[in-house]
C-alpha cells in the first residue's frame, strides 16, 4: 500500500490525446498487415499509471507489464478500477505471490518451478509458455526441446495454457521470422491456439507468421524513460 498515490488527472489528459492518435495509427498498421483478428496487448511498462488510465479511456482493458513491483504498484493504485494485467517479464519464483491476485494471464512461464508457484498462488490461472526463440542462453524462455515437458506439466497442475509466447531477435528479420514460424508450428502441434509474438518493431513479421496477439509498447505510449 505504500505505493498508493492519487491519479494525476492533468497527466491523464495530457497523455490521452497522443495515445488516441497512436492507437488509431496502430490499428491501421495491424489491419494493413492482415491482422484484423489479432489481439492487441498494450505494454505499459516504464510508463506511469496515468498512461494505463489514459488507455482505459480509449477502451483498452488489458495491459502488459514486465516488473512485479511496478505491476503491483499500478494495481494497488487503481484498486477496483484496475485493468487486467498480463505479466510478460522475466519471472522470479519469489515474486509470484506479490502479484498473484493482480495478474490475469502469465505469459512468461519458462520453467517448472515457476509454473508450480503460479499454480499454488493462482490456481487454474491462464498462462503461456515462453520460448527462447533465439536459443540464446542469455535470454529468457524455455528451449524448444524442453517445451513439451513444460507445457504438459503446466496442464497437469491445472494451469490453462492458452498458447506460446516468444520475443524476436532485434535487428535480424530473418532470424525473427524463422523463430516466429517455429513457434507457430510448435503451438499448432501441441493443439494450442494462441501465439503471443510481435512487438513495435516486428509486428508485421509476427502477423505474417501467425501471431494471435501482439504486445505493443513504444508505438502506443512512446519511448520509455
Ligand atoms: C517491452 C516489451 C514489449 C513491448 O515492446 P515495444 O518494442 O516497446 O513494443 C513486448 N514484449 C515484451 C516481452 C517486452 O519486454
Amino acid at each position: 500500500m505504500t505505493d498508493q498515490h492519487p491519479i494525476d488527472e492533468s497527466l491523464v489528459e495530457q497523455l490521452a490525446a497522443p495515445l488516441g492518435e497512436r492507437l488509431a495509427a496502430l490499428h491501421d498498421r495491424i489491419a494493413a498487415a492482415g491482422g484484423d483478428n489479432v489481439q492487441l496487448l498494450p505494454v505499459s511498462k516504464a510508463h506511469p499509471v496515468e498512461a494505463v488510465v489514459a488507455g482505459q479511456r480509449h477502451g483498452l482493458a488489458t495491459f502488459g507489464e514486465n516488473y512485479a513491483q511496478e505491476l503491483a504498484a499500478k494495481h494497488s493504485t487503481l484498486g477496483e478500477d484496475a485493468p487486467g494485467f498480463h505479466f510478460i517479464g522475466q519471472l522470479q519464483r519469489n515474486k509470484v505471490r506479490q502479484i498473484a491476485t493482480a495478474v490475469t494471464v502469465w505469459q512468461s512461464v519458462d520453467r517448472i518451478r515457476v509454473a508450480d508457484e503460479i499454480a499454488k498462488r493462482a490456481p487454474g490461472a491462464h498462462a503461456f509458455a515462453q520460448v527462447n526463440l533465439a536459443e540464446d542462453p542469455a535470454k529468457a524462455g524455455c528451449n524448444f526441446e524442453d517445451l513439451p515437458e513444460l507445457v504438459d506439466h503446466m496442464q497437469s497442475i491445472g494451469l490453462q495454457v492458452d498458447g506460446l509466447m516468444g520475443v524476436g531477435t532485434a535487428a535480424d528479420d530473418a532470424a525473427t521470422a524463422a523463430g516466429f514460424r517455429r513457434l507457430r508450428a510448435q503451438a499448432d502441434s501441441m493443439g494450442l491456439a494462441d501465439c503471443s509474438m510481435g512487438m513495435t518493431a516486428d509486428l508485421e513479421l509476427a502477423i505474417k507468421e501467425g501471431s494471435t496477439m501482439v504486445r505493443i509498447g513504444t508505438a502506443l505510449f512512446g519511448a520509455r524513460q
Side-chain angles (χ1 to χ4, degrees):
M1 293 296 141
T2 50
D3 293 315
Q4 208 143 18
H5 67 86
I7 301 293
D8 178 345
E9 185 56 39
S10 69
L11 181 54
V12 173
E13 276 167 30
Q14 192 185 312
L15 295 172
L19 178 60
E21 285 166 23
R22 293 195 193 108
L23 185 59
L26 181 61
H27 280 312
D28 287 348
R29 202 179 144 190
I30 290 172
D36 285 320
N37 298 318
V38 171
Q39 194 183 330
L40 166 64
L41 180 71
V43 175
S44 46
K45 70 172 179 211
H47 291 282
V49 69
E50 283 82 0
V52 172
V53 177
Q56 288 177 303
R57 296 207 182 148
H58 284 291
L60 301 172
T62 311
F63 295 80
E65 288 283 343
N66 281 56
Y67 306 101
Q69 194 102 356
E70 185 179 347
L71 189 159
K74 284 174 176 157
H75 183 260
S76 149
T77 299
L78 294 171
E80 288 187 347
D81 297 326
F85 284 112
H86 287 211
F87 193 78
I88 62 172
Q90 291 213 25
L91 190 49
Q92 287 165 290
R93 188 174 160 274
N94 63 358
K95 296 286 171 63
V96 168
R97 187 180 179 185
Q98 184 189 9
I99 54 174
T101 57
V103 170
T104 51
V105 180
W106 303 82
Q107 283 210 18
S108 46
V109 181
D110 63 359
R111 50 197 193 281
I112 283 175
R113 273 160 45 89
V114 166
D116 285 341
E117 186 68 10
I118 294 170
K120 180 174 168 191
R121 305 294 178 188
H126 283 264
F128 286 65
Q130 181 176 356
V131 184
N132 187 343
L133 298 185
E135 305 200 291
D136 173 352
K139 295 197 173 137
C142 171
N143 290 325
F144 277 102
E145 239 197 343
D146 302 324
L147 188 62
E149 188 190 349
L150 175 64
V151 170
D152 279 352
H153 185 80
M154 289 167 73
Q155 290 170 331
S156 76
I157 56 177
L159 295 175
Q160 289 290 326
V161 184
D162 294 335
L164 304 179
M165 188 271 250
V167 175
T169 305
D172 188 340
D173 283 359
T176 296
F180 287 165
R181 194 169 312 149
R182 196 171 171 194
L183 191 73
R184 182 69 260 177
Q186 189 71 50
D188 288 342
S189 78
M190 302 173 97
L192 300 173
D194 286 319
C195 263
S196 169
M197 57 190 196
M199 306 174 19
T200 293
D202 55 22
L203 73 89
E204 284 85 1
L205 273 180
I207 291 170
K208 183 162 173 265
E209 299 298 343
S211 173
T212 62
M213 191 190 301
V214 291
R215 309 177 307 271
I216 307 296
T218 311
L220 269 182
F221 298 109
R224 290 180 282 275
Q225 272 72 52

